[in-house]
Amino acid sequence: MLMQPVPNPSAMEPMRELQERLARTWEELLATSRFVQTVQRGEVTKALYAIYMLETYHYTFHNARNQALVGAQGGLQNRHYQKFCFTHAAEEVGHEQMALHDVLSLGLKGGDFQLPGPLPETETLIAYLYWVSTNGNPVRRLGYSFWAEGCYQYVNPLIQKVRETLRLTPAQLTFFVAHAELDQEHLAEVHELVQKTCVRPEDWAAVGEVMETSLRLTGRMMDAAHDEYLALREQRSSRYAFLARL
Amino acid sequence: MLMQPVPNPSAMEPMRELQERLARTWEELLATSRFVQTVQRGEVTKALYAIYMLETYHYTFHNARNQALVGAQGGLQNRHYQKFCFTHAAEEVGHEQMALHDVLSLGLKGGDFQLPGPLPETETLIAYLYWVSTNGNPVRRLGYSFWAEGCYQYVNPLIQKVRETLRLTPAQLTFFVAHAELDQEHLAEVHELVQKTCVRPEDWAAVGEVMETSLRLTGRMMDAAHDEYLALREQRSSRYAFLARL
Amino acid sequence: MLMQPVPNPSAMEPMRELQERLARTWEELLATSRFVQTVQRGEVTKALYAIYMLETYHYTFHNARNQALVGAQGGLQNRHYQKFCFTHAAEEVGHEQMALHDVLSLGLKGGDFQLPGPLPETETLIAYLYWVSTNGNPVRRLGYSFWAEGCYQYVNPLIQKVRETLRLTPAQLTFFVAHAELDQEHLAEVHELVQKTCVRPEDWAAVGEVMETSLRLTGRMMDAAHDEYLALREQRSSRYAFLARL
Amino acid sequence: MLMQPVPNPSAMEPMRELQERLARTWEELLATSRFVQTVQRGEVTKALYAIYMLETYHYTFHNARNQALVGAQGGLQNRHYQKFCFTHAAEEVGHEQMALHDVLSLGLKGGDFQLPGPLPETETLIAYLYWVSTNGNPVRRLGYSFWAEGCYQYVNPLIQKVRETLRLTPAQLTFFVAHAELDQEHLAEVHELVQKTCVRPEDWAAVGEVMETSLRLTGRMMDAAHDEYLALREQRSSRYAFLARL
């Protein structure tokens, strides 16, 4: 039902601007991220990848929840959007388990370690997504979906590089493989929904701001994972000490 | 996926007790409710029915929302139940519009009146459902679904009576017709889920308590609608004055 | 600062109506409450009083919390009222401990029992107060303070009767003694604040509705305590079995 | 009552570590902040200062609110800390108005402009403080108070520099003057409270993490204000266009 193409000529220009802003933000992130550069140089290790995936576990744990909170807002009027929020939340349930599975597949056992809490940068991302999902223009959380569902064109080369460097099988990459498939479908839905729900210029501005901010905060999380890895290697931090055995 | 029969022998006895408790609560409600008795005597009027349906509009507006909040709880562990919460919330979106449609079909126009806020008894029911959905044992909100999805065996005779008394067509009863159909399906799902998620005696007790309490509060709402109707007829209240024209 | 008399002539009439509505609601409650009648007949027992006080413990535990939530609302504009909410919340902190102390003074020890959760009627009151504190007109929670802080003219005879029947010393009545003193002061503050914050007729209506509804829900809690006591005596309920030793 | 010195020898070492961590974080912030350097060079303008103060207005608007939410948490056990939360929230009410007053004193009139929403970095700080105030170890929000109440030793030279550069009178610096006084008193209270409420190593760790993270996010907000000022000057942004007249 959500899949019909929507001819909404007035949305074309703001949609193009949104995609350009996204491209610029990715470009900057990819060019400056310490994590990305380490991956691109083929220097990713199991421990670094595991830290990144455990931080991913943390924020993914909250994605279905904060997505549902958008639809639970008392002031939300758009029932089509409300239904999307709940349907989409249902689809996101348990995805954090895939991230956890992929980490364990590197050679850890669930009972061997106590999962540490999220890094401050991860918690900042989580906090921001809850805030955006429960305050302000309800349409704006679509800015997060807009980049998250369509990130594969940007991150696929990185995933391939990780895969080669660490010689991972597809069965060890369930999080990315599953999302790449699901998100193909979701992306069209999100694009259509953005065009339907963004009616006023301030709607587009709100979506654009959340898109850029949540992507930047994700970039910060990546670099925090990278810095935590360096701290682990240099024995300045014991948060992820159990990964030393990898 | 949710539809397979679950052979859970240990759930049989608490399930039977739950249904007996439900039957007793309904019996008491049907025997003592002023609203029910007025309907049974064939004395329902369009104004009384409209008041009841507008209060129904109010609490139904919140049902998808508080259902989703159960799944958004940070402490919820059961992902199967979490998924149900969001899927079920998606299905409930906009059902309040059917209640509103049915009231308008009696001969009102949307722009003709300002919908008054919920009666205190309706607001108490709404408040209780939000509280139950965000505090305490997360499984307990199933107690509300347990009776709400399976209420038709109890309320169908009343709906038929209203239909005859007011000579309503099926197109004027969309709220009840749609729910009777949907809930047939949902009921099996809820029964199965209760059996799967209630593991400890305190889970069954929590579901039972919310079942009985939310049904009693709904009974109070019905009688409050009835009393408001008497107050309207006797010109002691102007809250629903716009219904005088019906 | 809050204590100066406020000459607000336009508040006089709605203030008088509020107090008359309060008097009528109390009159009805006192005339119909099973709990009140048992107390008046001098038939209160330690177990009945203990059940009532433990339910009081439960809702009092939440009073400072939901009072503070009014002031935390993003949309609250009135900074004078906001300050009152936080100051008043600070004063209410820990009052539930007095209720617990008074119960223990009857001859129980803290470690001897596991405090059961609130009765459904108590939880309904708690739920309603949270809802009112976080939704709708923020001024309306003053309706609860309006009767709660000024209840001593109505409940003092009952407290005296309990005291005589159970031969309690003042040291066993800390909850009521402390509140009677505190509330003397608070009542003037609440009266003044109601007159200052109720500007439009709908403000007065909202305060009046919450006043009446929360007092009625408290009456229901009292009778639920009474019914639970009968169930305990007749061994139909074991929730409060540990009180049998009193 | 909160003011007595607390001899808690076991708190001395973690307290010292907390203060050293704070000093290191400030040192890094002061050394790298574009905003700070512009101020130190005597290059602050009214427009830059106004942007900074309006962003300060935004997060300060939420401080009393999220402080109160800590005390409203259902799981909070420490009643001394709960009382502090509400008392402190009461004292913070309306402080955002001082920030607004100081901006207006630069030569703006309230009706002349529409206050833009917070910059993304400001909203991220706000989001983080709400998250910390409602999730995780309740004691950890003290990490924010720990640096915020004691920031004057670090920021006073900056305030003096702004004052000289813009030739501001004390009446134009109400926000900083009032806080410097209030916070003198609060700081001792917060120090004592941290020592009393931090019992386990993880309490100290949680306070330390929130202290550092919230201070870093505040640093990001400062630089975002600075960048927005550059964008205004170079006419790349119109968010704060009304400040061009200053």
Side-chain angles (χ1 to χ4, degrees):
Chain A
M1 170 186 49
L2 284 160
M3 289 292 104
Q4 305 99 321
V6 182
N8 180 359
S10 72
M12 279 184 63
E13 180 58 17
M15 197 70 181
R16 202 180 50 73
E17 285 172 16
L18 203 59
Q19 282 173 307
E20 285 174 7
R21 186 175 181 176
L22 179 57
R24 280 196 308 274
T25 310
W26 267 115
E27 205 174 317
E28 189 189 315
L29 191 157
L30 295 174
T32 59
S33 164
R34 298 186 288 283
F35 176 73
V36 168
Q37 283 156 15
T38 298
V39 169
Q40 285 172 339
R41 285 196 304 266
E43 295 174 3
V44 75
T45 63
K46 284 187 174 180
L48 171 54
Y49 174 63
I51 293 175
Y52 169 73
M53 285 304 282
L54 289 171
E55 298 300 323
T56 296
Y57 167 87
H58 278 303
Y59 80 81
T60 305
F61 177 87
H62 295 285
N63 276 355
R65 290 171 164 87
N66 55 49
Q67 173 65 89
L69 290 178
V70 182
Q73 284 184 37
L76 187 63
Q77 305 267 344
N78 184 333
R79 289 187 293 277
H80 185 69
Y81 180 37
Q82 189 185 25
K83 193 164 195 142
F84 165 84
C85 293
F86 297 145
T87 307
H88 196 214
E91 286 165 356
E92 301 279 336
V93 167
H95 282 194
E96 71 279 7
Q97 298 301 317
M98 292 192 273
L100 192 59
H101 163 274
D102 291 354
V103 172
L104 295 178
S105 83
L106 298 174
L108 290 171
K109 281 183 189 152
D112 282 3
F113 59 94
Q114 178 83 30
L115 184 65
L119 287 167
E121 287 77 3
T122 310
E123 203 168 12
T124 302
L125 171 63
I126 292 166
Y128 180 73
L129 291 174
Y130 272 103
W131 177 256
V132 158
S133 299
T134 51
N135 290 275
N137 191 334
V139 82
R140 65 183 181 155
R141 193 186 176 285
L142 284 169
Y144 174 55
S145 302
F146 194 87
W147 78 256
E149 307 283 357
C151 67
Y152 289 96
Q153 79 177 96
Y154 298 101
V155 300
N156 262 339
L158 296 171
I159 298 171
Q160 287 315 313
K161 195 73 190 179
V162 169
R163 187 177 167 174
E164 289 164 25
T165 309
L166 300 181
R167 300 173 190 232
L168 301 175
T169 65
Q172 292 179 290
L173 282 161
T174 60
F175 182 81
F176 288 116
V177 170
H179 276 99
E181 284 167 10
L182 262 175
D183 295 353
Q184 202 71 356
E185 202 179 301
H186 286 174
L187 185 59
E189 209 180 332
V190 170
H191 276 207
E192 190 192 315
L193 200 59
V194 166
Q195 293 177 57
K196 272 187 178 167
T197 54
C198 287
V199 175
R200 304 159 305 163
E202 54 264 44
D203 297 330
W204 288 100
V207 167
E209 187 170 296
V210 168
M211 179 190 72
E212 181 171 337
T213 305
S214 58
L215 179 49
R216 284 183 188 283
L217 291 174
T218 303
R220 291 233 169 84
M221 184 203 77
M222 289 177 187
D223 281 353
H226 186 264
D227 293 349
E228 187 64 27
Y229 168 67
L230 295 184
L232 171 69
R233 215 176 52 182
E234 297 163 10
Q235 299 185 313
R236 286 180 288 109
S237 170
S238 61
R239 187 191 278 252
Y240 275 116
F242 62 93
L243 295 177
R245 72 191 73 165
L246 285 183
Chain B
M1 171 185 47
L2 283 160
M3 288 292 104
Q4 306 97 324
V6 181
N8 180 357
S10 72
M12 279 184 63
E13 181 57 19
M15 198 69 184
R16 202 181 49 75
E17 285 172 17
L18 204 58
Q19 282 173 308
E20 284 174 8
R21 186 175 181 176
L22 180 57
R24 281 196 307 275
T25 310
W26 267 114
E27 206 175 315
E28 190 188 314
L29 190 156
L30 296 174
T32 59
S33 164
R34 298 186 288 282
F35 176 73
V36 168
Q37 283 157 14
T38 298
V39 170
Q40 284 172 338
R41 283 195 305 266
E43 293 175 2
V44 73
T45 63
K46 284 187 175 181
L48 171 54
Y49 174 64
I51 293 175
Y52 168 73
M53 286 304 282
L54 289 171
E55 298 300 323
T56 296
Y57 167 87
H58 279 301
Y59 79 81
T60 304
F61 177 87
H62 296 284
N63 276 354
R65 289 170 165 88
N66 55 48
Q67 173 66 88
L69 290 178
V70 182
Q73 285 184 35
L76 187 63
Q77 304 268 346
N78 185 331
R79 290 187 292 277
H80 184 69
Y81 180 36
Q82 190 185 26
K83 193 162 194 141
F84 165 84
C85 293
F86 297 145
T87 308
H88 196 213
E91 286 166 356
E92 301 280 337
V93 166
H95 283 194
E96 72 278 7
Q97 297 302 317
M98 291 193 273
L100 192 59
H101 164 275
D102 291 354
V103 171
L104 295 178
S105 83
L106 299 174
L108 290 171
K109 281 183 191 153
D112 282 4
F113 60 94
Q114 178 82 30
L115 184 65
L119 287 167
E121 287 79 3
T122 309
E123 204 168 12
T124 302
L125 171 63
I126 292 166
Y128 180 74
L129 292 174
Y130 273 103
W131 176 257
V132 158
S133 299
T134 50
N135 290 276
N137 191 334
V139 81
R140 65 182 180 159
R141 193 187 177 283
L142 284 169
Y144 174 55
S145 301
F146 194 87
W147 79 255
E149 306 285 357
C151 68
Y152 289 95
Q153 79 177 97
Y154 298 101
V155 302
N156 262 340
L158 296 171
I159 299 170
Q160 288 314 314
K161 195 73 192 180
V162 169
R163 187 178 168 174
E164 288 165 26
T165 309
L166 299 181
R167 301 174 189 230
L168 302 176
T169 66
Q172 291 179 291
L173 283 162
T174 61
F175 182 81
F176 288 116
V177 169
H179 277 97
E181 283 166 10
L182 263 174
D183 294 353
Q184 200 72 356
E185 203 179 301
H186 285 173
L187 185 58
E189 209 180 333
V190 169
H191 276 208
E192 191 193 314
L193 200 60
V194 166
Q195 294 177 55
K196 273 187 177 166
T197 54
C198 287
V199 175
R200 304 159 304 163
E202 53 264 43
D203 296 330
W204 287 100
V207 167
E209 187 171 297
V210 167
M211 179 191 72
E212 181 171 336
T213 306
S214 58
L215 179 49
R216 283 184 189 281
L217 291 175
T218 304
R220 291 233 169 85
M221 184 203 79
M222 288 176 186
D223 281 352
H226 186 265
D227 294 349
E228 186 65 27
Y229 168 68
L230 295 184
L232 172 69
R233 214 177 52 184
E234 296 163 11
Q235 299 185 315
R236 284 180 289 111
S237 169
S238 60
R239 187 191 278 254
Y240 276 117
F242 62 93
L243 296 177
R245 72 191 74 164
L246 286 183
Chain C
M1 171 185 51
L2 283 160
M3 289 292 106
Q4 304 98 322
V6 182
N8 180 358
S10 72
M12 279 184 65
E13 181 58 17
M15 197 70 183
R16 203 182 49 75
E17 284 172 18
L18 203 59
Q19 282 174 306
E20 285 174 7
R21 186 175 180 177
L22 179 57
R24 281 196 307 275
T25 310
W26 266 115
E27 205 175 318
E28 189 188 315
L29 190 158
L30 295 174
T32 59
S33 164
R34 299 186 289 284
F35 176 73
V36 168
Q37 283 156 16
T38 297
V39 169
Q40 285 172 338
R41 283 196 306 267
E43 295 174 3
V44 73
T45 64
K46 285 186 174 182
L48 171 53
Y49 174 63
I51 293 174
Y52 168 73
M53 285 305 281
L54 288 171
E55 298 300 323
T56 297
Y57 167 87
H58 278 303
Y59 79 81
T60 305
F61 176 87
H62 295 284
N63 276 355
R65 289 171 165 87
N66 55 48
Q67 174 65 87
L69 290 178
V70 181
Q73 284 184 35
L76 186 63
Q77 306 267 345
N78 184 333
R79 289 187 293 277
H80 185 68
Y81 180 37
Q82 190 185 26
K83 193 161 194 145
F84 165 83
C85 293
F86 297 145
T87 307
H88 196 212
E91 286 165 357
E92 300 280 336
V93 166
H95 282 194
E96 70 279 7
Q97 298 302 317
M98 291 193 272
L100 192 59
H101 164 276
D102 291 353
V103 172
L104 295 178
S105 83
L106 298 174
L108 290 170
K109 281 182 189 154
D112 283 3
F113 60 94
Q114 178 81 32
L115 184 65
L119 287 167
E121 286 78 2
T122 309
E123 205 168 12
T124 303
L125 171 62
I126 292 166
Y128 180 73
L129 291 175
Y130 273 102
W131 176 257
V132 158
S133 299
T134 51
N135 290 277
N137 191 336
V139 81
R140 66 183 180 157
R141 193 186 176 283
L142 284 170
Y144 174 54
S145 302
F146 194 87
W147 78 255
E149 307 284 356
C151 67
Y152 289 95
Q153 79 177 97
Y154 298 101
V155 301
N156 263 339
L158 296 170
I159 298 170
Q160 288 314 314
K161 195 73 189 179
V162 169
R163 188 178 167 174
E164 288 164 27
T165 309
L166 300 180
R167 299 172 192 233
L168 301 176
T169 64
Q172 291 178 291
L173 283 161
T174 60
F175 182 81
F176 288 116
V177 170
H179 277 98
E181 284 166 10
L182 263 174
D183 294 353
Q184 201 72 355
E185 203 179 301
H186 286 173
L187 184 58
E189 209 180 333
V190 170
H191 276 208
E192 191 192 314
L193 200 60
V194 166
Q195 293 177 56
K196 272 186 177 167
T197 55
C198 287
V199 175
R200 305 159 304 164
E202 54 263 43
D203 296 330
W204 288 100
V207 167
E209 187 171 295
V210 167
M211 178 190 73
E212 182 171 336
T213 305
S214 58
L215 179 49
R216 284 184 189 282
L217 291 174
T218 303
R220 291 232 170 85
M221 184 204 78
M222 288 177 187
D223 281 352
H226 186 264
D227 294 349
E228 186 65 27
Y229 168 68
L230 295 183
L232 171 69
R233 215 177 53 183
E234 296 164 11
Q235 299 185 313
R236 286 180 287 109
S237 169
S238 61
R239 187 191 278 253
Y240 276 116
F242 61 94
L243 295 178
R245 72 190 73 164
L246 285 183
Chain D
M1 170 186 50
L2 283 160
M3 289 291 106
Q4 304 98 323
V6 180
N8 179 0
S10 72
M12 279 182 65
E13 180 58 18
M15 197 69 184
R16 202 181 50 74
E17 285 172 18
L18 204 59
Q19 282 173 307
E20 284 174 9
R21 186 175 181 176
L22 179 56
R24 281 197 307 276
T25 310
W26 267 115
E27 206 174 316
E28 189 188 315
L29 191 156
L30 295 174
T32 59
S33 163
R34 298 186 288 283
F35 176 72
V36 168
Q37 283 156 15
T38 298
V39 170
Q40 285 173 338
R41 284 196 305 265
E43 295 175 3
V44 72
T45 64
K46 285 186 174 180
L48 171 53
Y49 174 64
I51 292 175
Y52 168 73
M53 286 305 283
L54 288 172
E55 298 300 323
T56 296
Y57 167 87
H58 278 303
Y59 79 81
T60 305
F61 177 87
H62 295 285
N63 276 355
R65 289 170 165 88
N66 56 49
Q67 174 64 89
L69 290 178
V70 182
Q73 284 184 35
L76 187 62
Q77 304 268 345
N78 184 332
R79 290 188 291 278
H80 184 69
Y81 180 36
Q82 190 184 25
K83 193 162 194 143
F84 165 83
C85 292
F86 297 146
T87 307
H88 196 213
E91 286 166 357
E92 301 280 336
V93 166
H95 284 194
E96 72 278 7
Q97 297 303 316
M98 291 192 273
L100 192 58
H101 163 274
D102 291 354
V103 171
L104 296 179
S105 83
L106 298 174
L108 290 171
K109 281 184 190 153
D112 281 3
F113 60 94
Q114 178 83 32
L115 184 65
L119 287 168
E121 288 77 3
T122 310
E123 203 168 12
T124 302
L125 171 63
I126 292 167
Y128 180 74
L129 291 174
Y130 273 103
W131 176 257
V132 159
S133 300
T134 51
N135 290 276
N137 190 335
V139 81
R140 65 182 180 159
R141 194 187 177 283
L142 284 170
Y144 174 54
S145 301
F146 194 86
W147 77 255
E149 306 285 357
C151 67
Y152 289 95
Q153 79 177 97
Y154 298 101
V155 301
N156 262 339
L158 296 171
I159 299 170
Q160 288 314 314
K161 195 74 190 178
V162 169
R163 187 178 166 175
E164 288 164 27
T165 309
L166 300 181
R167 300 175 191 229
L168 301 175
T169 65
Q172 291 180 290
L173 283 162
T174 61
F175 183 81
F176 288 116
V177 169
H179 277 97
E181 282 166 11
L182 262 175
D183 294 353
Q184 200 72 356
E185 203 179 301
H186 286 174
L187 185 59
E189 210 179 333
V190 170
H191 276 208
E192 192 192 314
L193 200 60
V194 167
Q195 294 178 55
K196 273 187 178 167
T197 54
C198 287
V199 175
R200 305 160 303 163
E202 54 263 44
D203 296 330
W204 288 101
V207 167
E209 186 170 298
V210 168
M211 178 189 74
E212 182 171 336
T213 306
S214 59
L215 179 50
R216 284 184 188 282
L217 291 174
T218 304
R220 291 232 170 85
M221 183 203 79
M222 288 177 187
D223 280 352
H226 186 263
D227 294 349
E228 186 66 27
Y229 168 68
L230 295 184
L232 171 68
R233 215 178 50 183
E234 296 164 12
Q235 299 185 315
R236 286 181 287 108
S237 169
S238 60
R239 187 191 279 253
Y240 277 116
F242 62 94
L243 296 177
R245 72 190 74 164
L246 284 184

